Amino acid sequence: QVQLVESGGGLVQPGGSLRLSCIASKILLRFYTAGWYRQAPGKQRELVAVVGTADSINYAASVRGRFTISRDNAENTVYLQMNNLKPEDTAVYYCTAQLGGANYWGQGTQVTVSS
């Protein structure tokens, strides 16, 4: 069974940093478009950042310049480095891996930005 397991969420003050990790089992992330979405209370799930098989990267405008996505093929893991966090970044962050009709999701990790 394919699993995506996220870690690294938590509570951080505005301006702080967190690094999210997502390790995959049963699939090789380098063959997938992999990355991160988030969902805040009362809002729809939205794209944060994804990296394609040719290492093309797409960021949401709201995080560009603050967040960095990366993929470690040896560790079969995708990371999201989040700097200069803002209260509006508060959400559950979900890891995703997509290939054709296959679309896998992790269970989500909570990120809360508050003073």
Side-chain angles (χ1 to χ4, degrees):
Q1 183 177 350
V2 174
Q3 282 192 311
L4 301 176
V5 180
E6 302 105 332
S7 61
L11 173 64
V12 63
Q13 292 186 343
S17 298
L18 286 173
R19 189 175 83 151
L20 304 183
S21 301
C22 171
I23 187 165
S25 60
K26 304 294 186 183
I27 60 170
L28 295 177
L29 287 178
R30 66 178 180 265
F31 297 127
Y32 287 73
T33 293
W36 300 88
Y37 282 65
R38 67 187 181 188
Q39 188 166 19
K43 294 189 176 181
Q44 290 190 333
R45 191 173 296 190
E46 63 176 5
L47 179 144
V48 176
V50 291
V51 53
T53 55
D55 292 335
S56 60
I57 291 176
N58 186 27
Y59 291 105
S62 60
V63 308
R64 193 173 294 120
R66 300 187 297 122
F67 291 10
T68 302
I69 189 171
S70 61
R71 180 174 53 206
D72 186 327
N73 292 334
E75 298 293 329
N76 206 27
T77 299
V78 64
Y79 299 98
L80 184 68
Q81 178 66 45
M82 304 186 293
N83 297 329
N84 190 22
L85 282 159
K86 303 176 181 181
E88 52 263 41
D89 295 317
T90 295
V92 178
Y93 284 69
Y94 295 93
C95 178
T96 182
Q98 303 170 11
L99 174 63
N103 194 354
Y104 302 106
W105 294 91
Q107 81 286 355
T109 186
Q110 177 70 46
V111 171
T112 302
V113 185
S114 175
S115 55

